Each structure stands twice: as structure tokens, then as C-alpha cells.
Amino acid sequence: MTDTTEAWTARILTLFPEMFPGPLGQSLAGKALEKGIWRLETLQIRDFACDRHRTVDDTPFGGGAGMVMRPDVVDAALAAATADGLGPAIYLTPRGRLLSQGLVEELAAGPGMVLVCGRYEGLDERVIEARQLIEVSLGDFVLSGGEPAALALIDACVRLLPGVMGAEETLDEESFKTGLLEYPHYTRPAEWNERKVPEVLMSGHHEKIRAWRQTQAEEVTRSRRPDLWDAYKKRGA
Ligand code: ADE
């Protein structure tokens, strides 16, 4: 790809730009980044502070532990980050809506995204409202900041971009496309530490293999993720 202005762009507002590209500079995402299939840009939030000490946070009104990121500083950073119209603007927080493969697909299909990474206790609520940030959570656990969540979200998007995945890494059979978790995988050796690969997989009988994998996928989904299993059954009904 030669026209880099066209490339899918992840623009990250962070106090720790050195955390990027991090793992995204390796493997499939890293190769795609080198090829110009996607772009990574970081903005240092501290550069938008307006005082001599470059203060980005302050104590919470009402008291309590921790520090809150100032709305004026984050707003100025967002103004710069969205000036060319790139969006949506997403704030990574455990208070957000749960990330889904559906949202990842939507984001990968667009021009890119602006990500705000919070540290400390998070952002002042007013800048979230004023900038209509989409709040997204990776799950019910607390990270020390938004950066590792941003890395994960970008990874999930980038692998869907045209030209990123090789022919071998097919997207069609993936869990969140079929609605089921994946069936188990096996490779050589055929016997390892007295454990044998299921006979059917060595049979060369394609229809039997397909049926076995389907049953396994259903069984693992039913036992591990009743929520996904219910949704799958409803979809089929
Ligand atoms: N920041 C801190 N914890 C997070 C989480 N679980 N998801 C997204 N961003 C976060």
C-alpha cells in the first residue's frame, strides 16, 4: 500500500507512548505495520497540559483515593486527535460496554479509531460526556491503565484488515463467527506421553471429521459458556 493517508489508523492518547507499538510491532500486526496496511500514532497527553509543571491530574472533588485526569487537558488532546475527522473516539475503562467481536468488526471496517488511555482513577466525567467518548471494557477485571487494553483492541482490529492474515489463518471458522467456541486441535506426534489423537481425525473421512468437530465445539461451548450456548441455540431456532 503506497497511499498511507488511506491506511487504517489507530491514534492513541496516552501518558506512556513508549508502550506502543510494543507487541504490535511483531508477527502479523508488525509486518502489516511495516507494509503500511495500518498506521499507529501516539499523542502524549502531557503535551496538552497548560501549566509550567505540565500537570495532567488532580485530586478528586469529594475526596477519596487516587487522582483524576483533568478534563481540560484531555479535551485539548482530543481536539488535536480528532481534528482531521478520525473516529470514533473510545475511552478504555472497566466501566465501559464489553468489547465484542461485533464491535471489533465495525471498527476494522471504518477508517480507524482514536483511543484514550486513562491512568490513575480515570478521566473527569465531564470530558467523557462533552466528547461523547464510547466507553469500552475488555472484561470484568481492572488493568493498571488503558494501554494494555488499547494494545488488545488494536490487535483484534488489525488482524481483520485485508492483507494482514495469511491464507493459512482463515477467519471463517472462528469462534465468534460460528457462535461456538473452537473444537480441540491436534498435531504430530500421533501418540504423546500415552495420549493418542482421536481416531476419527486420522481416518481421512472428511464428513466424519466435520461432524466430530461440530459435536466437540457444541460440547465445549455448552459446558464452559452457557451464555454463548443459549445465544447459539436461539440463533438456530
Ligand atoms: N482499563 C483498566 N481496566 C480496563 C479494562 N478491564 N478494560 C478496558 N480498559 C481498562
Side-chain angles (χ1 to χ4, degrees):
M1 195 174 291
T2 45
D3 186 3
T4 49
T5 59
E6 290 289 300
W8 190 90
T9 300
R11 189 172 291 154
I12 304 146
L13 276 58
T14 173
L15 292 168
F16 299 96
E18 316 75 33
M19 289 193 188
F20 300 90
L24 297 175
Q26 305 288 319
S27 190
L28 286 178
K31 284 188 197 115
L33 187 58
E34 268 173 30
K35 279 196 217 159
I37 295 176
W38 68 288
R39 285 170 59 86
L40 177 76
E41 299 170 4
T42 55
L43 276 85
Q44 168 57 267
I45 296 172
R46 200 171 293 283
D47 291 344
F48 298 87
C50 31
D51 64 327
R52 213 159 45 86
H53 302 291
R54 306 217 299 160
T55 312
V56 293
D57 59 339
D58 211 326
T59 53
F61 281 119
M67 300 290 272
V68 179
M69 291 174 73
R70 289 176 56 119
D72 51 351
V73 177
V74 175
D75 182 64
L78 273 163
T82 58
D84 66 356
L86 184 67
I90 293 172
Y91 170 41
L92 293 151
T93 164
R95 294 181 67 214
R97 68 182 260 205
L98 268 188
L99 181 61
S100 65
Q101 190 66 18
L103 178 56
V104 168
E105 283 169 12
E106 268 178 48
L107 292 168
M113 57 193 179
V114 173
L115 300 178
V116 186
C117 300
R119 285 268 150 180
Y120 322 116
E121 293 307 304
L123 305 191
D124 184 301
E125 189 70 16
R126 292 167 294 177
V127 72
I128 301 173
E129 290 168 9
R131 287 277 169 190
Q132 298 190 332
L133 300 182
I134 301 169
E135 296 178 80
V136 172
S137 168
L138 289 201
D140 295 337
F141 50 86
V142 182
L143 300 165
S144 53
E147 287 82 2
L151 289 167
L153 173 55
I154 298 166
D155 180 275
C157 292
V158 164
R159 62 189 287 284
L160 299 184
L161 300 176
V164 174
M165 294 266 273
E168 284 154 41
E169 297 101 354
T170 170
L171 295 166
D172 297 341
E173 282 185 26
E174 281 188 358
S175 294
F176 300 104
K177 266 221 145 66
T178 62
L180 293 173
L181 299 179
E182 276 199 55
Y183 52 79
H185 302 280
Y186 300 88
T187 187
R188 276 175 281 279
E191 186 172 340
W192 171 75
N193 286 0
E194 287 158 45
R195 291 167 188 272
K196 287 190 174 133
V197 169
E199 204 68 50
V200 60
L201 298 179
M202 327 275 267
S203 69
H205 195 303
H206 297 300
E207 179 47 33
K208 277 191 188 151
I209 292 170
R210 194 205 56 75
W212 181 85
R213 286 178 167 167
Q214 177 69 20
T215 309
Q216 291 285 316
E218 290 178 6
E219 184 47 38
V220 75
T221 307
R222 194 188 57 71
S223 61
R224 293 183 189 180
R225 292 291 302 275
D227 57 326
L228 289 182
W229 180 239
D230 283 348
Y232 176 76
K233 278 186 303 183
K234 281 201 192 100
R235 216 160 77 172

